[in-house]
Structure formats: C-alpha cells, structure tokens
Short mmCIF file of all heavy atoms in Angstrom, two decimals:
data_model
loop_
_atom_site.label_atom_id
_atom_site.label_comp_id
_atom_site.label_asym_id
_atom_site.label_seq_id
_atom_site.Cartn_x
_atom_site.Cartn_y
_atom_site.Cartn_z
N ALA R 207 -108.21 23.38 -81.26
CA ALA R 207 -107.30 24.47 -81.36
C ALA R 207 -107.33 25.24 -80.04
O ALA R 207 -108.35 25.26 -79.35
CB ALA R 207 -107.73 25.38 -82.51
N GLY R 208 -106.21 25.85 -79.71
CA GLY R 208 -106.13 26.57 -78.45
C GLY R 208 -105.15 27.71 -78.54
O GLY R 208 -104.33 27.83 -79.42
N ALA R 209 -105.27 28.55 -77.53
CA ALA R 209 -104.34 29.65 -77.38
C ALA R 209 -103.98 29.85 -75.89
O ALA R 209 -104.79 29.65 -75.05
CB ALA R 209 -104.99 30.98 -77.90
N ILE R 210 -102.75 30.14 -75.67
CA ILE R 210 -102.20 30.40 -74.34
C ILE R 210 -101.60 31.78 -74.31
O ILE R 210 -100.83 32.20 -75.24
CB ILE R 210 -101.16 29.39 -73.92
CG1 ILE R 210 -101.77 27.97 -73.90
CG2 ILE R 210 -100.57 29.72 -72.55
CD1 ILE R 210 -100.77 26.89 -73.62
N TRP R 211 -101.95 32.60 -73.28
CA TRP R 211 -101.44 33.92 -73.17
C TRP R 211 -100.94 34.16 -71.74
O TRP R 211 -101.64 33.82 -70.80
CB TRP R 211 -102.53 34.97 -73.50
CG TRP R 211 -102.12 36.39 -73.42
CD1 TRP R 211 -100.98 36.92 -73.86
CD2 TRP R 211 -102.89 37.44 -72.86
NE1 TRP R 211 -100.94 38.32 -73.59
CE2 TRP R 211 -102.14 38.64 -72.98
CE3 TRP R 211 -104.14 37.50 -72.25
CZ2 TRP R 211 -102.60 39.86 -72.56
CZ3 TRP R 211 -104.63 38.74 -71.82
CH2 TRP R 211 -103.83 39.90 -72.00
N ARG R 212 -99.75 34.68 -71.60
CA ARG R 212 -99.17 34.99 -70.30
C ARG R 212 -98.99 36.51 -70.15
O ARG R 212 -97.95 37.05 -70.51
CB ARG R 212 -97.85 34.26 -70.11
CG ARG R 212 -98.03 32.78 -70.04
CD ARG R 212 -96.72 32.05 -69.81
NE ARG R 212 -96.94 30.63 -69.71
CZ ARG R 212 -96.85 29.79 -70.76
NH1 ARG R 212 -96.58 30.20 -71.90
NH2 ARG R 212 -97.05 28.49 -70.54
N PRO R 213 -100.04 37.21 -69.70
CA PRO R 213 -99.98 38.69 -69.67
C PRO R 213 -98.97 39.18 -68.64
O PRO R 213 -98.31 40.26 -68.87
CB PRO R 213 -101.38 39.10 -69.26
CG PRO R 213 -102.00 37.93 -68.63
CD PRO R 213 -101.31 36.70 -69.25
N VAL R 214 -98.80 38.51 -67.52
CA VAL R 214 -97.79 38.79 -66.54
C VAL R 214 -97.20 37.50 -65.99
O VAL R 214 -97.79 36.44 -66.21
CB VAL R 214 -98.31 39.64 -65.34
CG1 VAL R 214 -98.71 41.03 -65.80
CG2 VAL R 214 -99.57 38.92 -64.71
N THR R 215 -96.07 37.54 -65.38
CA THR R 215 -95.32 36.36 -65.00
C THR R 215 -96.15 35.25 -64.30
O THR R 215 -96.09 34.11 -64.75
CB THR R 215 -94.05 36.70 -64.16
OG1 THR R 215 -93.25 37.54 -64.96
CG2 THR R 215 -93.31 35.46 -63.83
N PRO R 216 -96.86 35.48 -63.21
CA PRO R 216 -97.54 34.34 -62.56
C PRO R 216 -98.84 33.94 -63.18
O PRO R 216 -99.45 32.95 -62.77
CB PRO R 216 -97.73 34.83 -61.14
CG PRO R 216 -97.92 36.32 -61.30
CD PRO R 216 -97.01 36.73 -62.41
N VAL R 217 -99.36 34.65 -64.20
CA VAL R 217 -100.71 34.38 -64.75
C VAL R 217 -100.59 33.75 -66.11
O VAL R 217 -99.90 34.21 -66.97
CB VAL R 217 -101.51 35.68 -64.78
CG1 VAL R 217 -102.88 35.44 -65.42
CG2 VAL R 217 -101.70 36.28 -63.41
N THR R 218 -101.39 32.73 -66.31
CA THR R 218 -101.52 32.14 -67.62
C THR R 218 -103.03 31.96 -67.96
O THR R 218 -103.76 31.42 -67.14
CB THR R 218 -100.90 30.67 -67.66
OG1 THR R 218 -99.50 30.82 -67.31
CG2 THR R 218 -100.98 30.06 -69.02
N LEU R 219 -103.40 32.46 -69.10
CA LEU R 219 -104.78 32.31 -69.59
C LEU R 219 -104.78 31.40 -70.77
O LEU R 219 -103.93 31.45 -71.66
CB LEU R 219 -105.35 33.70 -69.98
CG LEU R 219 -105.27 34.77 -68.90
CD1 LEU R 219 -105.74 36.11 -69.49
CD2 LEU R 219 -106.09 34.36 -67.68
N ARG R 220 -105.81 30.50 -70.86
CA ARG R 220 -105.85 29.49 -71.89
C ARG R 220 -107.30 29.43 -72.42
O ARG R 220 -108.25 29.43 -71.66
CB ARG R 220 -105.42 28.18 -71.32
CG ARG R 220 -105.44 27.06 -72.34
CD ARG R 220 -105.00 25.75 -71.73
NE ARG R 220 -104.99 24.74 -72.78
CZ ARG R 220 -103.96 23.95 -72.99
NH1 ARG R 220 -102.88 24.01 -72.28
NH2 ARG R 220 -104.04 23.05 -73.93
N LEU R 221 -107.38 29.37 -73.75
CA LEU R 221 -108.68 29.16 -74.39
C LEU R 221 -108.55 28.03 -75.34
O LEU R 221 -107.64 27.95 -76.18
CB LEU R 221 -109.11 30.43 -75.14
CG LEU R 221 -110.44 30.35 -75.88
CD1 LEU R 221 -111.62 30.15 -74.95
CD2 LEU R 221 -110.68 31.56 -76.80
N ASP R 222 -109.44 27.04 -75.28
CA ASP R 222 -109.45 25.87 -76.14
C ASP R 222 -110.81 25.79 -76.82
O ASP R 222 -111.85 25.95 -76.19
CB ASP R 222 -109.23 24.60 -75.35
CG ASP R 222 -107.81 24.50 -74.76
OD1 ASP R 222 -106.87 24.60 -75.61
OD2 ASP R 222 -107.68 24.28 -73.58
N VAL R 223 -110.78 25.51 -78.12
CA VAL R 223 -112.01 25.36 -78.92
C VAL R 223 -111.90 24.05 -79.63
O VAL R 223 -110.86 23.73 -80.23
CB VAL R 223 -112.15 26.53 -79.91
CG1 VAL R 223 -113.43 26.32 -80.76
CG2 VAL R 223 -112.22 27.86 -79.23
N ARG R 224 -112.97 23.26 -79.52
CA ARG R 224 -112.94 21.98 -80.25
C ARG R 224 -114.24 21.79 -81.00
O ARG R 224 -115.32 22.31 -80.62
CB ARG R 224 -112.73 20.78 -79.29
CG ARG R 224 -113.81 20.51 -78.34
CD ARG R 224 -113.44 19.29 -77.41
NE ARG R 224 -114.54 19.01 -76.57
CZ ARG R 224 -114.79 19.62 -75.40
NH1 ARG R 224 -114.04 20.54 -74.94
NH2 ARG R 224 -115.84 19.22 -74.69
N TYR R 225 -114.15 21.08 -82.13
CA TYR R 225 -115.23 20.78 -82.99
C TYR R 225 -115.54 19.29 -82.97
O TYR R 225 -114.61 18.52 -83.17
CB TYR R 225 -115.00 21.28 -84.44
CG TYR R 225 -116.03 20.82 -85.41
CD1 TYR R 225 -117.27 21.45 -85.42
CD2 TYR R 225 -115.75 19.84 -86.32
CE1 TYR R 225 -118.25 21.11 -86.37
CE2 TYR R 225 -116.73 19.46 -87.21
CZ TYR R 225 -117.98 20.04 -87.22
OH TYR R 225 -118.88 19.68 -88.13
N GLU R 226 -116.74 18.94 -82.70
CA GLU R 226 -117.17 17.53 -82.80
C GLU R 226 -118.12 17.45 -83.93
O GLU R 226 -119.22 18.02 -83.96
CB GLU R 226 -117.85 17.12 -81.47
CG GLU R 226 -116.90 17.13 -80.32
CD GLU R 226 -117.50 16.59 -79.04
OE1 GLU R 226 -118.40 15.74 -79.14
OE2 GLU R 226 -117.01 16.88 -77.96
N SER R 227 -117.70 16.70 -84.94
CA SER R 227 -118.51 16.57 -86.15
C SER R 227 -119.69 15.60 -85.90
O SER R 227 -119.76 14.98 -84.89
CB SER R 227 -117.66 16.06 -87.29
OG SER R 227 -117.17 14.75 -87.00
N LYS R 228 -120.57 15.50 -86.93
CA LYS R 228 -121.65 14.56 -86.81
C LYS R 228 -121.02 13.16 -86.67
O LYS R 228 -119.99 12.86 -87.30
CB LYS R 228 -122.54 14.60 -88.07
CG LYS R 228 -123.39 15.84 -88.19
CD LYS R 228 -124.24 15.76 -89.37
CE LYS R 228 -125.07 17.07 -89.50
NZ LYS R 228 -125.90 17.02 -90.72
N ARG R 229 -121.59 12.36 -85.86
CA ARG R 229 -121.06 11.03 -85.66
C ARG R 229 -122.18 10.05 -85.36
O ARG R 229 -123.33 10.45 -85.07
CB ARG R 229 -120.05 11.00 -84.52
CG ARG R 229 -120.60 11.52 -83.24
CD ARG R 229 -119.56 12.31 -82.45
NE ARG R 229 -120.06 12.78 -81.20
CZ ARG R 229 -120.77 13.87 -81.02
NH1 ARG R 229 -121.03 14.63 -82.07
NH2 ARG R 229 -121.18 14.24 -79.83
N PHE R 230 -121.89 8.76 -85.34
CA PHE R 230 -122.92 7.77 -85.17
C PHE R 230 -122.95 7.36 -83.67
O PHE R 230 -121.90 7.31 -82.99
CB PHE R 230 -122.65 6.58 -86.03
CG PHE R 230 -122.77 6.89 -87.49
CD1 PHE R 230 -121.67 7.00 -88.28
CD2 PHE R 230 -124.03 7.04 -88.07
CE1 PHE R 230 -121.75 7.27 -89.61
CE2 PHE R 230 -124.13 7.36 -89.38
CZ PHE R 230 -123.02 7.45 -90.17
N ASP R 231 -124.14 7.02 -83.21
CA ASP R 231 -124.34 6.62 -81.82
C ASP R 231 -124.30 5.12 -81.63
O ASP R 231 -124.10 4.64 -80.54
CB ASP R 231 -125.73 7.21 -81.35
CG ASP R 231 -126.06 6.86 -79.90
OD1 ASP R 231 -125.13 6.92 -79.08
OD2 ASP R 231 -127.21 6.57 -79.63
N ASP R 232 -124.47 4.38 -82.73
CA ASP R 232 -124.52 2.97 -82.58
C ASP R 232 -123.65 2.23 -83.60
O ASP R 232 -123.07 2.89 -84.50
CB ASP R 232 -125.97 2.49 -82.79
CG ASP R 232 -126.54 2.84 -84.14
OD1 ASP R 232 -126.00 3.73 -84.81
OD2 ASP R 232 -127.52 2.18 -84.59
N ASP R 233 -123.48 0.95 -83.44
CA ASP R 233 -122.58 0.19 -84.31
C ASP R 233 -123.18 -0.10 -85.68
O ASP R 233 -122.47 -0.51 -86.60
CB ASP R 233 -122.16 -1.12 -83.64
CG ASP R 233 -123.34 -2.02 -83.31
OD1 ASP R 233 -124.46 -1.54 -83.39
OD2 ASP R 233 -123.12 -3.19 -82.93
N GLN R 234 -124.46 0.15 -85.88
CA GLN R 234 -125.09 -0.01 -87.17
C GLN R 234 -125.17 1.26 -87.98
O GLN R 234 -125.69 1.31 -89.12
CB GLN R 234 -126.44 -0.60 -87.04
CG GLN R 234 -126.43 -1.96 -86.41
CD GLN R 234 -127.83 -2.58 -86.16
OE1 GLN R 234 -128.82 -1.85 -86.22
NE2 GLN R 234 -127.87 -3.85 -85.91
N ASN R 235 -124.59 2.37 -87.42
CA ASN R 235 -124.60 3.65 -88.08
C ASN R 235 -126.00 4.13 -88.47
O ASN R 235 -126.20 4.67 -89.55
CB ASN R 235 -123.71 3.67 -89.30
CG ASN R 235 -122.26 3.47 -88.94
OD1 ASN R 235 -121.87 3.62 -87.81
ND2 ASN R 235 -121.45 3.08 -89.91
N SER R 236 -126.95 3.92 -87.59
CA SER R 236 -128.36 4.31 -87.86
C SER R 236 -128.77 5.54 -87.09
O SER R 236 -129.74 6.21 -87.51
CB SER R 236 -129.29 3.16 -87.60
OG SER R 236 -129.25 2.78 -86.24
N ARG R 237 -128.12 5.87 -86.04
CA ARG R 237 -128.46 7.05 -85.19
C ARG R 237 -127.37 8.07 -85.30
O ARG R 237 -126.22 7.79 -84.84
CB ARG R 237 -128.73 6.66 -83.75
CG ARG R 237 -129.99 5.81 -83.60
CD ARG R 237 -130.28 5.55 -82.15
NE ARG R 237 -129.14 4.88 -81.53
CZ ARG R 237 -129.22 3.70 -80.96
NH1 ARG R 237 -130.34 3.00 -80.98
NH2 ARG R 237 -128.16 3.12 -80.42
N ILE R 238 -127.63 9.21 -85.85
CA ILE R 238 -126.61 10.27 -86.03
C ILE R 238 -126.77 11.34 -84.92
O ILE R 238 -127.83 11.80 -84.62
CB ILE R 238 -126.80 10.96 -87.42
CG1 ILE R 238 -126.60 9.94 -88.51
CG2 ILE R 238 -125.78 12.10 -87.53
CD1 ILE R 238 -126.81 10.43 -89.88
N LEU R 239 -125.61 11.64 -84.30
CA LEU R 239 -125.54 12.71 -83.32
C LEU R 239 -125.11 13.96 -84.00
O LEU R 239 -124.21 13.95 -84.88
CB LEU R 239 -124.55 12.32 -82.23
CG LEU R 239 -124.84 11.01 -81.46
CD1 LEU R 239 -123.75 10.76 -80.43
CD2 LEU R 239 -126.23 11.07 -80.81
N SER R 240 -125.68 15.15 -83.64
CA SER R 240 -125.36 16.40 -84.30
C SER R 240 -123.97 16.89 -83.94
O SER R 240 -123.36 16.47 -82.89
CB SER R 240 -126.38 17.43 -84.02
OG SER R 240 -126.43 17.72 -82.65
N SER R 241 -123.43 17.78 -84.73
CA SER R 241 -122.14 18.36 -84.52
C SER R 241 -122.23 19.51 -83.47
O SER R 241 -123.31 19.98 -83.20
CB SER R 241 -121.55 18.91 -85.79
OG SER R 241 -122.39 19.91 -86.33
N ALA R 242 -121.08 19.91 -82.94
CA ALA R 242 -121.05 21.00 -81.95
C ALA R 242 -119.67 21.62 -81.89
O ALA R 242 -118.69 20.97 -82.20
CB ALA R 242 -121.39 20.41 -80.56
N VAL R 243 -119.63 22.89 -81.54
CA VAL R 243 -118.38 23.60 -81.32
C VAL R 243 -118.42 24.04 -79.82
O VAL R 243 -119.34 24.59 -79.34
CB VAL R 243 -118.25 24.87 -82.21
CG1 VAL R 243 -117.06 25.63 -81.84
CG2 VAL R 243 -118.31 24.48 -83.64
N VAL R 244 -117.33 23.66 -79.13
CA VAL R 244 -117.28 23.87 -77.63
C VAL R 244 -116.02 24.68 -77.35
O VAL R 244 -114.94 24.44 -77.86
CB VAL R 244 -117.22 22.51 -76.90
CG1 VAL R 244 -117.16 22.75 -75.41
CG2 VAL R 244 -118.45 21.67 -77.27
N ALA R 245 -116.20 25.70 -76.43
CA ALA R 245 -115.07 26.52 -76.02
C ALA R 245 -114.88 26.33 -74.48
O ALA R 245 -115.85 26.39 -73.73
CB ALA R 245 -115.30 27.99 -76.30
N ASP R 246 -113.62 26.13 -74.09
CA ASP R 246 -113.30 26.02 -72.63
C ASP R 246 -112.22 27.10 -72.34
O ASP R 246 -111.40 27.47 -73.18
CB ASP R 246 -112.69 24.66 -72.34
CG ASP R 246 -113.62 23.50 -72.73
OD1 ASP R 246 -114.86 23.68 -72.58
OD2 ASP R 246 -113.14 22.44 -73.12
N ALA R 247 -112.27 27.59 -71.09
CA ALA R 247 -111.28 28.64 -70.67
C ALA R 247 -110.70 28.23 -69.33
O ALA R 247 -111.36 27.56 -68.51
CB ALA R 247 -112.01 30.00 -70.57
N ARG R 248 -109.52 28.71 -69.08
CA ARG R 248 -108.80 28.39 -67.82
C ARG R 248 -107.84 29.53 -67.51
O ARG R 248 -107.18 30.09 -68.39
CB ARG R 248 -108.04 27.09 -67.93
CG ARG R 248 -107.25 26.76 -66.70
CD ARG R 248 -106.60 25.38 -66.87
NE ARG R 248 -105.58 25.14 -65.87
CZ ARG R 248 -105.38 24.03 -65.26
NH1 ARG R 248 -106.10 22.98 -65.56
NH2 ARG R 248 -104.43 23.87 -64.35
N ALA R 249 -107.75 29.87 -66.25
CA ALA R 249 -106.80 30.90 -65.79
C ALA R 249 -106.03 30.29 -64.63
O ALA R 249 -106.57 29.71 -63.69
CB ALA R 249 -107.52 32.17 -65.26
N ASP R 250 -104.68 30.30 -64.75
CA ASP R 250 -103.76 29.78 -63.71
C ASP R 250 -103.00 30.91 -63.06
O ASP R 250 -102.62 31.84 -63.77
CB ASP R 250 -102.72 28.82 -64.35
CG ASP R 250 -103.33 27.52 -64.78
OD1 ASP R 250 -103.81 27.46 -65.95
OD2 ASP R 250 -103.32 26.58 -64.01
N TYR R 251 -102.71 30.74 -61.82
CA TYR R 251 -101.86 31.69 -61.06
C TYR R 251 -100.78 30.89 -60.38
O TYR R 251 -101.07 30.02 -59.49
CB TYR R 251 -102.65 32.52 -60.05
CG TYR R 251 -101.84 33.56 -59.40
CD1 TYR R 251 -101.68 34.81 -59.97
CD2 TYR R 251 -101.17 33.30 -58.18
CE1 TYR R 251 -100.91 35.79 -59.38
CE2 TYR R 251 -100.41 34.26 -57.57
CZ TYR R 251 -100.24 35.49 -58.20
OH TYR R 251 -99.49 36.45 -57.57
N ALA R 252 -99.54 31.05 -60.76
CA ALA R 252 -98.43 30.28 -60.16
C ALA R 252 -98.06 30.89 -58.78
O ALA R 252 -97.72 32.05 -58.69
CB ALA R 252 -97.24 30.32 -61.05
N LEU R 253 -98.20 30.05 -57.76
CA LEU R 253 -97.82 30.47 -56.42
C LEU R 253 -96.30 30.33 -56.24
O LEU R 253 -95.64 31.17 -55.62
CB LEU R 253 -98.56 29.65 -55.41
CG LEU R 253 -100.10 29.74 -55.44
CD1 LEU R 253 -100.74 28.73 -54.52
CD2 LEU R 253 -100.53 31.15 -55.12
N THR R 254 -95.78 29.19 -56.76
CA THR R 254 -94.33 28.93 -56.68
C THR R 254 -94.02 28.14 -58.00
O THR R 254 -94.87 27.97 -58.82
CB THR R 254 -93.96 28.02 -55.48
OG1 THR R 254 -94.55 26.69 -55.67
CG2 THR R 254 -94.43 28.60 -54.16
N ASP R 255 -92.76 27.71 -58.11
CA ASP R 255 -92.43 26.91 -59.29
C ASP R 255 -93.12 25.56 -59.30
O ASP R 255 -93.29 24.94 -60.36
CB ASP R 255 -90.90 26.62 -59.33
CG ASP R 255 -90.13 27.90 -59.69
OD1 ASP R 255 -90.75 28.83 -60.28
OD2 ASP R 255 -88.97 27.96 -59.42
N LEU R 256 -93.60 25.09 -58.13
CA LEU R 256 -94.21 23.79 -58.07
C LEU R 256 -95.65 23.77 -57.72
O LEU R 256 -96.30 22.73 -57.72
CB LEU R 256 -93.47 22.92 -56.98
CG LEU R 256 -91.99 22.66 -57.21
CD1 LEU R 256 -91.36 21.98 -56.04
CD2 LEU R 256 -91.79 21.89 -58.48
N ALA R 257 -96.26 24.97 -57.46
CA ALA R 257 -97.66 25.00 -57.03
C ALA R 257 -98.39 26.20 -57.74
O ALA R 257 -97.84 27.25 -57.90
CB ALA R 257 -97.77 25.17 -55.55
N SER R 258 -99.64 25.89 -58.12
CA SER R 258 -100.44 26.94 -58.70
C SER R 258 -101.89 26.72 -58.38
O SER R 258 -102.29 25.62 -57.94
CB SER R 258 -100.28 27.00 -60.25
OG SER R 258 -100.74 25.78 -60.80
N VAL R 259 -102.75 27.71 -58.52
CA VAL R 259 -104.17 27.63 -58.37
C VAL R 259 -104.78 27.99 -59.69
O VAL R 259 -104.17 28.76 -60.49
CB VAL R 259 -104.72 28.52 -57.23
CG1 VAL R 259 -104.23 28.02 -55.89
CG2 VAL R 259 -104.35 29.96 -57.47
N TYR R 260 -106.00 27.47 -60.00
CA TYR R 260 -106.62 27.81 -61.23
C TYR R 260 -108.12 27.80 -61.09
O TYR R 260 -108.69 27.25 -60.18
CB TYR R 260 -106.18 26.81 -62.37
CG TYR R 260 -106.77 25.40 -62.21
CD1 TYR R 260 -107.97 25.12 -62.76
CD2 TYR R 260 -106.08 24.44 -61.47
CE1 TYR R 260 -108.50 23.82 -62.66
CE2 TYR R 260 -106.62 23.18 -61.33
CZ TYR R 260 -107.82 22.88 -61.92
OH TYR R 260 -108.34 21.65 -61.77
N ILE R 261 -108.77 28.43 -62.06
CA ILE R 261 -110.18 28.41 -62.24
C ILE R 261 -110.43 28.05 -63.69
O ILE R 261 -109.76 28.54 -64.58
CB ILE R 261 -110.88 29.68 -61.82
CG1 ILE R 261 -112.38 29.57 -61.87
CG2 ILE R 261 -110.40 30.88 -62.64
CD1 ILE R 261 -113.13 30.65 -61.18
N ALA R 262 -111.43 27.19 -63.93
CA ALA R 262 -111.70 26.78 -65.29
C ALA R 262 -113.19 26.76 -65.53
O ALA R 262 -114.00 26.48 -64.64
CB ALA R 262 -111.12 25.41 -65.55
N VAL R 263 -113.55 27.06 -66.81
CA VAL R 263 -114.94 26.98 -67.23
C VAL R 263 -115.01 26.12 -68.48
O VAL R 263 -114.37 26.42 -69.45
CB VAL R 263 -115.53 28.39 -67.52
CG1 VAL R 263 -117.01 28.30 -68.01
CG2 VAL R 263 -115.41 29.29 -66.34
N ASP R 264 -115.77 25.03 -68.40
CA ASP R 264 -115.95 24.17 -69.56
C ASP R 264 -117.24 24.56 -70.24
O ASP R 264 -118.20 24.84 -69.59
CB ASP R 264 -115.98 22.71 -69.12
CG ASP R 264 -114.69 22.18 -68.60
OD1 ASP R 264 -113.64 22.72 -69.00
OD2 ASP R 264 -114.66 21.24 -67.73
N ASN R 265 -117.24 24.51 -71.57
CA ASN R 265 -118.40 24.79 -72.36
C ASN R 265 -118.92 26.22 -72.10
O ASN R 265 -120.05 26.39 -71.61
CB ASN R 265 -119.50 23.73 -72.14
CG ASN R 265 -120.57 23.74 -73.24
OD1 ASN R 265 -120.52 24.56 -74.17
ND2 ASN R 265 -121.52 22.86 -73.13
N LEU R 266 -118.15 27.20 -72.40
CA LEU R 266 -118.43 28.59 -72.12
C LEU R 266 -119.77 29.05 -72.65
O LEU R 266 -120.45 29.84 -72.04
CB LEU R 266 -117.34 29.52 -72.71
CG LEU R 266 -116.04 29.60 -71.91
CD1 LEU R 266 -114.99 30.35 -72.75
CD2 LEU R 266 -116.29 30.39 -70.63
N THR R 267 -120.12 28.57 -73.84
CA THR R 267 -121.35 29.05 -74.50
C THR R 267 -122.57 28.15 -74.18
O THR R 267 -123.63 28.31 -74.76
CB THR R 267 -121.19 29.12 -75.98
OG1 THR R 267 -120.80 27.82 -76.47
CG2 THR R 267 -120.07 30.13 -76.36
N ASN R 268 -122.37 27.16 -73.32
CA ASN R 268 -123.41 26.22 -72.94
C ASN R 268 -124.02 25.52 -74.15
O ASN R 268 -125.22 25.31 -74.28
CB ASN R 268 -124.54 26.94 -72.14
CG ASN R 268 -125.31 25.95 -71.34
OD1 ASN R 268 -124.88 24.92 -70.93
ND2 ASN R 268 -126.60 26.31 -71.09
N GLU R 269 -123.13 25.14 -75.05
CA GLU R 269 -123.56 24.40 -76.30
C GLU R 269 -124.14 23.09 -75.95
O GLU R 269 -123.58 22.35 -75.07
CB GLU R 269 -122.33 24.24 -77.19
CG GLU R 269 -122.58 23.54 -78.48
CD GLU R 269 -123.27 24.39 -79.52
OE1 GLU R 269 -123.21 25.65 -79.39
OE2 GLU R 269 -123.89 23.88 -80.39
N ASP R 270 -125.23 22.68 -76.58
CA ASP R 270 -125.79 21.38 -76.39
C ASP R 270 -124.93 20.35 -77.15
O ASP R 270 -124.78 20.48 -78.41
CB ASP R 270 -127.25 21.30 -76.89
CG ASP R 270 -128.18 22.04 -76.00
OD1 ASP R 270 -127.93 22.12 -74.76
OD2 ASP R 270 -129.17 22.56 -76.48
N ILE R 271 -124.44 19.36 -76.45
CA ILE R 271 -123.61 18.32 -77.11
C ILE R 271 -124.33 16.99 -76.90
O ILE R 271 -124.57 16.51 -75.83
CB ILE R 271 -122.23 18.25 -76.42
CG1 ILE R 271 -121.57 19.59 -76.45
CG2 ILE R 271 -121.34 17.21 -77.09
CD1 ILE R 271 -120.38 19.72 -75.51
N GLU R 272 -124.72 16.44 -78.06
CA GLU R 272 -125.42 15.13 -78.00
C GLU R 272 -124.40 14.03 -77.68
O GLU R 272 -123.35 13.94 -78.29
CB GLU R 272 -126.09 14.83 -79.35
CG GLU R 272 -127.34 15.65 -79.60
CD GLU R 272 -128.03 15.15 -80.87
OE1 GLU R 272 -127.40 15.10 -81.89
OE2 GLU R 272 -129.21 14.75 -80.71
N THR R 273 -124.79 13.18 -76.73
CA THR R 273 -123.95 12.03 -76.37
C THR R 273 -124.66 10.73 -76.72
O THR R 273 -124.06 9.70 -76.77
CB THR R 273 -123.54 12.08 -74.93
OG1 THR R 273 -124.75 12.11 -74.12
CG2 THR R 273 -122.68 13.25 -74.61
N ALA R 274 -126.01 10.78 -76.81
CA ALA R 274 -126.77 9.58 -77.14
C ALA R 274 -128.19 10.01 -77.44
O ALA R 274 -128.64 11.10 -77.03
CB ALA R 274 -126.80 8.58 -76.01
N GLU R 275 -128.93 9.23 -78.29
CA GLU R 275 -130.33 9.56 -78.53
C GLU R 275 -131.22 8.89 -77.54
O GLU R 275 -130.87 7.88 -76.95
CB GLU R 275 -130.69 9.12 -79.95
CG GLU R 275 -130.21 10.10 -80.96
CD GLU R 275 -130.80 9.77 -82.34
OE1 GLU R 275 -131.54 8.80 -82.52
OE2 GLU R 275 -130.41 10.50 -83.26
#
C-alpha cells in the first residue's frame, strides 16, 4: 500500500508500506522465514517536465527481513 502527496507543484512525497508474510526458504517447505512490515519513503523535486532529483530511504524502521536461514 502506498500514498503520494504533492504539497506544492514541484514536490512529490511518497510513502510505501509492504507486508511480507511467513514464507518458506526451501523447496521442501521445511525452513520458515518470519514475516515483516517494511516502510519506504521518497521525496522528488521536479526541475523541469523531463528532469527531477530525488532522495529515498528504504526500510525506514530498519526492520529485520529474513531472506534465508
């Protein structure tokens, strides 16, 4: 899920939140990885109609996300 907000014309703020449920690490479904909620943020500033600059932060809360055991 996400939200986009444009407080003034050249600025766009974006917040995305995603949920990763418990899932399996292997093809035999024997190793379970824990679930996690992750939030990402981004701010864009439009320089022209064709160019912009941005800053982004992934995983704002520094949530531990299991990728393998």
Side-chain angles (χ1 to χ4, degrees):
I210 297 174
W211 180 42
R212 292 183 178 93
V214 291
T215 299
V217 176
T218 302
L219 304 175
R220 180 180 183 128
L221 178 66
D222 292 305
V223 178
R224 69 181 183 276
Y225 172 74
E226 295 188 23
S227 63
K228 290 183 181 179
R229 58 215 181 276
F230 295 105
D231 180 39
D232 62 339
D233 60 349
Q234 296 177 346
N235 295 343
S236 62
R237 292 186 301 242
I238 299 175
L239 303 177
S240 63
S241 60
V243 176
V244 180
D246 302 326
R248 177 176 167 141
D250 288 89
Y251 185 86
L253 301 172
T254 68
D255 288 341
L256 300 174
S258 64
V259 293
Y260 72 90
I261 185 168
V263 178
D264 292 332
N265 197 359
L266 282 170
T267 60
N268 201 27
E269 180 76 22
D270 288 330
I271 305 166
E272 285 188 304
T273 56
E275 280 189 2

